[in-house]
Amino acid sequence: MRLPANRAALAVLTAALGACGGMASPIGTGAPIAGQPVAAREGAVGRIEVRQLDARPRLTLVSRDGDPTPAIVAAVATDLGPVLTTALAATVEARLVAAGFAVDTRVDASAFRVRLLLADPARAAAFFTAVAQAFARPIAPGSPELTLASSRLLALERNPFDAAEIVAVAACTGALGVAPGARRVDPARSADDARALEIARAEALHSGRTAIAAVGPASFTAAVAAGLAASQGWPVGDAARDAWPIADTSGAFTAPSFDHRGARVTLAVRTADPQAAAAAAEHLGAADSPLVARLHALAQPWRVLDVSGVARPRGGCVSVTIEGPARPNGAAIEPVAAQASALVRAEITSELSLAAGSSVSGRQILTAADPREAAARAAWWSLSTPAPGSPSAWAIVLGVPAASTVPPRVGAPPSAAEVSASRFQQALAQSVAAPAPTAERRVAVERGQGELWVLLASPCGVAEERLDDAGLGATAMIAAVEARRHDGAAELEPWITEGGLGVLAHASFRDDRETPIELARRVAGAAAHALAAPVLTTEIAAAARATSLDLLARAEGPEGGASTAFAPVFAPDHPSWLEPLGLWSKVASSALEDIRLHQQMLLSGPLRVAVLANADAAQAQAAADAVDRWLTPGPARRACAASAPLPARPGRYEGHLPTEAPLARAMIGAVIPAPGAPGRDLAELARLALDGDHGLLAGAFQQAAGRASARILGGSRAPALVIDVRAPADGLTAAVTEVKLMLAHLAQAATDADLDRAFAEQARLDRDGRSDPRSRLVDLWAGRAPVARVKPPLAAFRAFLGQALADAALIVVEARPE
């Protein structure tokens, strides 16, 4: 939707520029004392002082050096709407120019600013007297200044808003414009219009609705203060009322000018705190803001076109305009636009709730490069006051290309715009009323630890991966971290297990000024941003594939080694259940869209966040809240959709290794109990008894050359005890035979010494694991509590070995270089 070129000139920030870099204390808002400074603040780059003189406008002095010519600005809050405000601004401008001052004016819906570059501070008193006279002199029909007023009004009327629905947004933002078809006003030719303008002059042009600011060296601002004190003739009156909206509004319109690029939605909210409005706009408009990232991550991405934060005489306004994707003819845009609008509304609300302090006004005054703009901001901020207790009021407008609207029905139908507005309002109400999505929370406080830790992951893990996409969920998590690798907010790691896929983040305090809550929001926000809104590109996808393949090679050997044949046999149709990194061939052939699809699939299911706070419970709560902020409103999250596991297929199988593989490899696997099931402790002890320099496998090779190791794979869906055998190609069969012979005799050959060694190693692993915050975080996420282990009897250990590792229960894959 088109806005005039000087749109929202009162906005202290316009989006996509980000925050300016200077720092200063805010303008004071305490009760003025006649003739005395209201506030004086020394900032890093300048001084801002606010004064109130009897029967004169409030004065703000901004002392800084370097401007070629100092500036004075008088800002007026008219409360009169765009037509009368435009006419009054033109009248004042014409009178001041006639008095010998080369001023210009900037106009908004119900305010204007008179700007002057003044090289000679000795003329300040004369200028202020001229302004007071321009305010006080009645406007009579036929007055010469009305010619300029009519000319400005004609220009305003020739460039109306695209639709009447935009007026509700402009009422919040202060954007200058009129609705299409508005009545022509011409005070130069109509005595009635001239008399209406005179009534407006008496109502608005006085010291109660006016503020003055001067920007320049300290000697200039001192002269300006003296000049205002010496000026005469200021009319007096009450401050602007700045009426509050009585209700939320929403609407839609068709715009032929939008072509087929997609719909646009503008959301504007009137809010009680002008400082919070300006600060929220800074954050929302940043290139890496959650708003930008979350809109981009939608299944049908939207982009931010504009953000503004406006200080008003009472409270403030935040406005965001977004543009959606192109839609084919006949496809309904309203439900999609409503979902994006609900997301934007939630983001604006979050930023307003987080905005704190009042430094934004001083910072933006001092960092305006043009002294006229700095003075305009300073004058306007001195007119703005909070409106405590006033409820937020929303105006939301959808602009739809004509081709995207629903065609009229036969027989006196509503217009296409009316149909679109009705559909949008219904969809918006549903989207806003829908319960906010949340992640399941598991938190713990470890006061005094050096870092805060967050794990955000899907408990579905690789449950839904099948043979044709094995490993793409893991690749998606690697890509998510790769996309945020240089973010710097926290250390990020992909977390890849059979039972969970997600992002792990941790960081310490940046400095002594960062609060525990700020640390929590930073770390949790980094994890949530990576998981919920990664900006994936072809380059990032390629880097993620390379990393996945490298991890597979490290774990399973070149090109996935024997696991390429072993996993589909042990976990038929679900090889990722055994090895969550998947299959080499599937990862190597994955495309960017495959990775995006798996990332979106994980987000559509349940999510769980675990937080290890290092301060208190409030910090843990803040971290979890920061995660929820990134979750996209929409349909209820679906449950994990895992099919029932098919039984493993014991037997002997052949595999293949790359020609350059240095050794042949065999995998010997057995099904074991799932974590938490009876007998799982025996399986873990069996793995430890087999493995290691002094383990049972170390002495297995009496007649054959080779080496072997043991590990547990598969999580809860395909739990396996796997023995890896490495040997020369011509000796692999003999090595496998030696291992199987050893396994066949374990039910009788295992000793108390073997069990004692395994139990002691288990105790060491438990102790070392609990000393690592990463392990404690994972246990918290999984709901695992420390257990007091009891060494089983040797008979029970032998019985487990005899049953689980019986020859008929084993799956054996032998793979040799081709």
Side-chain angles (χ1 to χ4, degrees):
M1 57 198 70
R2 180 185 50 74
L3 294 177
N6 64 338
R7 182 205 57 79
L10 297 186
V12 295
L13 173 83
T14 301
L17 299 178
C20 299
M23 293 298 295
S25 296
I27 292 179
T29 56
I33 301 174
Q36 299 296 323
V38 174
R41 299 286 191 268
E42 200 74 42
V45 294
R47 175 184 173 87
I48 301 174
E49 181 181 348
V50 183
R51 297 185 180 184
Q52 179 68 68
L53 305 177
D54 290 329
R56 289 167 179 79
R58 177 173 285 199
L59 174 65
T60 302
L61 304 174
V62 181
S63 300
R64 71 181 194 185
D65 299 328
D67 295 313
T69 306
I72 299 176
V73 169
V76 182
T78 67
D79 251 359
L80 295 174
V83 174
L84 290 174
T85 301
T86 298
L88 282 179
T91 300
V92 171
E93 180 182 338
R95 289 176 171 180
L96 291 174
V97 170
F101 295 96
V103 300
D104 62 20
T105 56
R106 296 291 185 269
V107 186
D108 297 290
S110 286
F112 69 90
R113 292 159 307 289
V114 179
R115 312 191 313 168
L116 174 68
L117 291 174
L118 187 64
D120 182 5
R123 298 189 67 200
F127 173 68
F128 292 136
T129 297
V131 173
Q133 293 173 353
F135 282 11
R137 189 164 75 246
I139 299 172
S143 298
E145 59 265 24
L146 295 182
T147 301
L148 180 61
S150 289
S151 175
R152 297 281 173 81
L153 288 173
L154 180 61
L156 180 65
E157 293 159 5
R158 284 176 174 171
N159 294 277
F161 292 132
D162 283 320
E165 287 79 5
I166 301 177
V167 173
V169 172
C172 181
T173 64
L176 181 62
V178 294
R183 184 185 76 84
R184 174 80 181 277
V185 177
D186 189 352
R189 293 179 174 83
S190 168
D192 288 342
D193 288 345
R195 283 189 288 270
L197 188 59
E198 164 57 17
I199 295 172
R201 179 205 63 79
E203 181 180 345
L205 299 187
H206 53 71
S207 61
R209 296 191 183 183
T210 305
I212 293 172
V215 174
S219 59
F220 174 80
T221 58
V224 167
L228 182 59
S231 63
Q232 300 294 326
W234 287 96
V236 296
D238 296 330
R241 294 182 298 274
D242 197 16
W244 205 266
I246 60 175
D248 294 347
T249 62
S250 61
F253 66 93
T254 57
S257 62
F258 283 5
D259 60 43
H260 293 281
R261 289 176 299 174
R264 292 184 184 180
V265 179
T266 295
L267 299 92
V269 59
R270 187 80 177 270
T271 185
D273 186 351
Q275 296 276 355
E282 285 188 345
H283 300 152
L284 291 164
D288 61 347
S289 73
L291 171 66
V292 173
R294 294 181 67 191
L295 286 171
H296 185 274
L298 290 174
Q300 299 180 63
W302 289 64
R303 67 189 183 101
V304 176
L305 294 183
D306 181 82
V307 180
S308 67
V310 178
R312 299 183 56 95
R314 290 179 61 219
C317 175
V318 179
S319 173
V320 176
T321 298
I322 60 174
E323 184 177 65
R327 303 284 291 177
N329 291 345
I333 188 64
E334 292 83 4
V336 179
Q339 183 187 21
S341 298
L343 187 155
V344 175
R345 178 171 170 148
E347 271 302 307
I348 294 175
T349 302
S350 293
E351 288 294 353
L352 287 172
S353 69
L354 294 175
S358 56
S359 64
V360 63
S361 58
R363 179 173 69 252
Q364 296 199 359
I365 290 167
L366 292 171
T367 53
D370 189 320
R372 292 170 295 185
E373 178 61 21
R377 295 179 181 185
W380 188 252
W381 270 113
S382 70
L383 283 175
S384 179
T385 59
S390 299
S392 296
W394 292 85
I396 305 176
V397 181
L398 167 65
V400 184
S404 295
T405 57
V406 178
R409 295 189 297 262
V410 177
S415 68
E418 290 172 335
V419 172
S420 184
S422 176
R423 292 178 58 167
F424 179 61
Q425 289 164 351
Q426 292 177 13
L428 181 63
Q430 293 172 357
S431 296
V432 171
T438 58
E440 178 191 356
R441 301 181 177 192
R442 294 180 178 178
V443 301
V445 178
E446 297 183 343
R447 196 184 311 273
Q449 288 288 328
E451 292 186 303
L452 178 137
W453 293 74
V454 173
L455 174 58
L456 175 62
S458 164
C460 297
V462 296
E464 297 169 314
E465 289 188 12
R466 302 181 70 88
L467 188 63
D468 59 349
D469 63 350
L472 297 195
T475 306
M477 293 304 95
I478 294 170
V481 170
E482 181 67 27
R484 304 297 301 172
R485 183 167 301 282
H486 303 295
D487 175 63
E491 292 291 327
L492 297 176
E493 306 170 14
W495 187 63
I496 300 167
T497 69
E498 180 274 343
L501 291 174
V503 175
L504 188 151
H506 58 101
S508 59
F509 290 100
R510 279 178 168 158
D511 51 45
D512 292 341
R513 295 172 296 179
E514 185 172 40
T515 67
I517 298 298
E518 290 169 340
L519 172 64
R521 290 172 178 161
R522 172 164 62 89
V523 177
H529 190 171
L531 183 65
V535 180
L536 303 182
T537 64
T538 301
E539 293 75 16
I540 290 172
R545 279 196 305 271
T547 300
S548 290
L549 295 175
D550 180 63
L551 292 173
L552 265 173
R554 293 183 188 183
E556 307 296 347
E559 298 187 9
S563 67
T564 299
F566 182 85
V569 175
F570 195 93
D573 204 31
H574 295 284
S576 295
W577 291 6
L578 186 74
E579 172 51 79
L581 288 169
L583 297 179
W584 183 280
S585 61
K586 304 306 179 183
V587 174
S589 62
S590 62
L592 173 61
E593 288 308 313
D594 299 323
I595 295 173
R596 282 178 173 163
L597 177 62
H598 275 72
Q599 183 263 341
Q600 292 168 358
M601 185 170 62
L602 285 172
L603 286 178
S604 68
L607 291 173
R608 182 186 303 156
V609 59
V611 180
L612 279 183
N614 62 350
D616 52 30
Q619 184 194 40
Q621 178 77 15
D625 289 345
V627 165
D628 286 346
R629 176 182 177 182
W630 284 88
L631 304 185
T632 302
R637 294 192 176 278
R638 61 182 179 82
C640 305
S643 58
L646 298 175
R649 300 194 293 265
R652 183 182 178 280
Y653 301 87
E654 292 286 344
H656 303 281
L657 299 179
T659 304
E660 64 274 14
L663 292 172
R665 182 184 178 192
M667 295 181 71
I668 304 172
V671 177
I672 60 174
R680 176 68 178 201
D681 59 331
L682 296 170
E684 293 172 355
L685 289 172
R687 197 276 296 181
L688 294 172
L690 289 166
D691 206 25
D693 293 340
H694 304 289
L696 295 168
L697 288 171
F701 298 103
Q702 300 177 4
Q703 306 296 326
R707 64 181 186 274
S709 60
R711 53 186 173 141
I712 288 178
L713 299 176
S716 61
R717 295 185 177 93
L721 174 61
V722 177
I723 299 172
D724 287 311
V725 180
R726 311 291 175 95
D730 57 359
L732 182 62
T733 299
V736 170
T737 300
E738 291 288 345
V739 170
K740 291 178 68 178
L741 286 172
M742 182 272 296
L743 295 178
H745 291 88
L746 282 182
Q748 295 79 34
T751 65
D752 268 320
D754 297 323
L755 182 56
D756 288 343
R757 180 176 55 81
F759 191 76
E761 180 65 9
Q762 183 69 73
R764 185 190 67 79
L765 292 174
D766 288 346
R767 182 177 63 252
D768 291 350
R770 294 301 301 168
S771 68
D772 181 1
R774 184 179 285 97
S775 296
R776 298 196 299 274
L777 178 70
V778 170
D779 286 346
L780 176 66
W781 186 91
R784 290 192 296 262
V787 296
R789 297 186 182 273
V790 177
K791 190 178 77 170
L794 179 61
F797 183 54
R798 285 179 167 180
F800 171 82
L801 293 173
Q803 181 179 2
L805 301 180
D807 187 72
L810 298 179
I811 295 173
V812 180
V813 172
E814 295 183 16
R816 295 172 175 80
E818 294 181 334

